[in-house]
Amino acid sequence: MNITVFKGDGIGPEITDCVLRILDAAGAGLSYEIFNVGEAEYEAHGALIPDEAFASYEKNKVLLKSPITTPVGKGFRSLNVMMRKKYDLYANVRPAKSNAAVKTPFENVDIVMFRENTEDLYAGVEEMISPDEAHSIKIITRKCSERIVRAAFDYAVKQGRKKVTCVHKANIMKLSDGMFREVFYEVAKEYETIEAEDKIVDNVAMQMVMRPQQFDVIVTENLYGDILSDLTSGLIGGLGLLPSSNIGDGYAMFEAVHGSAPDIAGKGIANPTAFLWSACMMLEYLGKTEAAAKIRRAVDEVLMEGRVRTPDLGGTATTAEYEAEIIARL
Ligand code: NAI
C-alpha cells in the first residue's frame, strides 16, 4: 500500500525519518512516496509543494505530513490551511489523552476534539476597507456545520463515547454560531444513545483547566477548535504528545499538532511521539490496526518506564535513542 509523505521544515525531516523506521519495524507494510515541501523547498525551487507531490497525494489519497514553517506576515499562506481547503479535509480530529507516564496537574483527561477545518474566520476572506481598517469575514454554513457535527457523533458511536459537547459563542454571534448550535441539536436527535450538550467557548476554556474530565467528544468551529486543542495539549503534557488527523470524503492527512520547532531543529532532541501517534491514526484509518496497536503499546511502555525520554518530557534522551528503545520493543 502506497502513502505520500511530506518532510517539511525544522524538526520535520528528523521526525519523519524516525517515524518511517518505526512503521517499518512494526511491519506496517507501507511504501512511501517522499517529498520535500515547505519553506526550504520554496526557497530552493520556488514552490512550496512540487507538482509531483500533489500528484502523488491525489493518487494515494493518504498523506503523512510533518510540520512546515509558515513565515508570519509575508510570503506564502499557511500550507496547512491551503491543504485542508484544497482537499476539503473538513474534520480535524485531535485526541488528547492523559498518559500515566507523563505527570501533569491534570489526570484522566480523555478529550477528542472535532474542529471544523474549512470555514469560519480561516476562510481567508479579508479586505482592507481603508488603510486604517481591516475586515476578516467569519463564514459558517449549514452544510459544513452539519458534516462536522455528524462526524463527531459518528465517532462517538463507533468509539463507545458517551457525550458530545458543542462549543460556540452563540450568545454574541447569534446568526453564525447560532446556526452552528441549531444544526448540532438537529443532528443530535439522530443519535439517541449519545448525550448532547452545548457550552459557550469562554466558559469551556475555564472549565477545561478546572475540571477537564467532564469533557468527552467536543465539536466546534475552526478558530475555537484551534485555540482549545492547544489548551488540551497542555493538559496532557504539551505539544509533543498531540496527534491529529484531517479527514475529508476520500482524502486524509495525518500530522502532529505542533509546528516545525525551529528552536530545536537539527539538535536531534525532538520528541517524535505526536507524529508517531498521528501515523498510528493513519494505520487505523487504513485498517492496519494491529501495527498501530503494537506501536502504541511500545510507546506506552517506554514512556511508562521513564528511562529514555526526550528533553521536553524532562529526560535527556535524543530522538535516536528514544526511537531505538521503541524499536527494541517491537
Ligand atoms: P512549535 O509547535 O513549532 O513550537 C512551540 C514550542 O514547542 C517550541 O519551544 C518547540 O521547541 C516545542 N516543540 C514543538 N514540537 C516539539 C517536539 N516534537 N518535540 C519537542 N519540542 C517541541 O510552534 P511555533 O514555534 O509557534 O511555530 C514554529 C513554526 O511552525 C511556525 O512557522 C509555524 O507557522 C509552524 N507551524 C506549523 C504547523 C504545521 O505544519 N502543522 C503547526 C503549527 C505551527
Side-chain angles (χ1 to χ4, degrees), residues 11 15 65-71 80 239-240 255-264 269-272 312:
I11 59 169
I15 58 173
K65 180 193 146 293
S66 84
I68 286 164
T69 299
T70 307
N80 302 309
L239 280 172
E255 60 180 343
V257 170
H258 62 70
S260 56
D263 53 336
I264 57 165
I269 54 165
N271 183 353
D312 57 305

Side-chain angles (χ1 to χ4, degrees), residues 39 81 144 158 226 254 312:
E39 188 180 45
V81 175
C144 292
K158 215 167 139 198
D226 193 3
F254 300 84
D312 57 305

